[in-house]
Amino acid sequence: MIKKILKELFYNIRYRKINKLRSFFGGKESNWIISLDDCVKLDKIIKKYKIKNILELGTGIGSSTLSMAYSLPPDGHIDTVEQFEKCIERAKQIIPKKYKDKITFYRSEVEIFQPFKYLNTLAYKELPRGDWDLIVIDGPSFQIEGDYLITSLPRGDIIRLIETLKDKTFIYIDGSLVTRKLLKRFYSHCVNHNRKEDLFQK
């Protein structure tokens, strides 16, 4: 019991900047900010599997980027992709200087990507290249087409990437159940799902 309380205290102190962000934005906007539970989950994954290189799809305002930067070893690096320039600028303001050398920001437009007939997904038009150990999927969240706001589609970037990923690359999907179902349905032959950690691995 004492060990559990001390552990929770440690994580609350460690991620106090993220907790402050949640308090600052408050209300519905705080849903953009990574939860303490997700911070802990990603921290455990990064340390347990000795993750060094991460591709994050969906920077948002940088809270999850910051959380992962805390957990990476000194030689670790994050490539993070976002569709909105204002989010990238906010992330650069939020992330402390000592972690910025670990992060490369990329901006990309979003498109409707059709990997299979009759299946539409949301995907970034341009992705960086890299030799990643972990892919964290938290975007893109929506696309505007004319007068329509398109949401609730699977995130298709992982389909573009999957053949090029090295063996044993981990895939963490934050929230999107429809993307998880897509991976399970079409890629169960080459991707394993660890239900306990809610983590996929090529």
Side-chain angles (χ1 to χ4, degrees):
M1 183 67 176
I2 293 172
K3 190 176 178 182
K4 186 179 178 183
I5 292 167
L6 288 173
K7 197 170 187 179
E8 285 179 10
L9 179 63
F10 167 75
Y11 280 112
N12 273 293
I13 292 168
R14 184 170 184 184
Y15 297 111
R16 62 188 177 277
K17 192 166 185 75
I18 290 164
N19 286 332
K20 282 181 185 176
L21 287 173
R22 296 184 70 81
S23 300
F24 174 76
F25 284 102
K28 291 180 181 177
E29 287 77 10
S30 68
N31 292 331
W32 312 338
I33 313 295
I34 189 170
S35 70
L36 183 60
D37 287 344
D38 284 324
C39 285
V40 173
K41 193 181 288 188
L42 282 167
D43 178 71
K44 286 179 179 177
I45 289 166
I46 290 166
K47 289 178 176 170
K48 179 178 179 180
Y49 298 106
K50 297 178 172 59
I51 302 296
K52 284 190 176 180
N53 296 300
I54 299 173
L55 172 64
E56 179 186 38
L57 300 170
T59 313
I61 61 167
S63 57
S64 53
T65 319
L66 173 59
S67 170
M68 293 186 289
Y70 277 135
S71 303
L72 279 174
D75 58 343
H77 192 81
I78 301 170
D79 291 317
T80 184
V81 185
E82 173 57 43
Q83 70 200 92
F84 298 113
E85 187 65 43
K86 64 182 180 180
C87 288
I88 294 173
E89 290 307 312
R90 181 61 67 89
K92 288 178 179 177
Q93 292 168 7
I94 287 168
I95 294 168
K97 188 176 180 180
K98 64 180 178 179
Y99 295 109
K100 285 182 181 172
D101 288 344
K102 290 185 175 184
I103 303 163
T104 304
F105 294 91
Y106 295 88
R107 187 189 172 279
S108 174
E109 297 293 335
V110 173
E111 65 181 351
I112 305 296
F113 168 56
Q114 194 173 62
F116 312 116
K117 194 173 181 180
Y118 306 121
L119 175 65
N120 289 329
T121 68
L122 286 175
Y124 291 106
K125 285 185 179 180
E126 298 173 30
L127 292 174
R129 293 185 180 185
D131 186 23
W132 302 293
D133 306 306
L134 172 66
I135 313 292
V136 176
I137 304 171
D138 192 24
S141 54
F142 66 86
Q143 168 68 341
I144 297 170
E145 291 279 334
D147 296 330
Y148 297 95
L149 179 67
I150 299 170
T151 61
S152 302
L153 290 178
R155 290 152 183 176
D157 293 297
I158 193 61
I159 297 171
R160 284 182 166 154
L161 291 168
I162 203 145
E163 297 300 327
T164 65
L165 297 178
K166 64 185 178 184
D167 287 343
K168 299 188 178 179
T169 301
F170 291 97
I171 303 162
Y172 181 83
I173 301 170
D174 187 6
S176 178
L177 293 176
V178 68
T179 305
R180 292 179 201 183
K181 287 179 182 177
L182 180 72
L183 266 184
K184 288 177 186 177
R185 181 173 181 184
F186 294 103
Y187 292 97
S188 59
H189 64 286
C190 66
V191 174
N192 296 316
H193 183 210
N194 181 331
R195 293 179 190 277
K196 187 177 179 182
E197 295 180 317
D198 203 14
L199 192 65
F200 293 88
Q201 186 180 25
K202 184 178 176 186

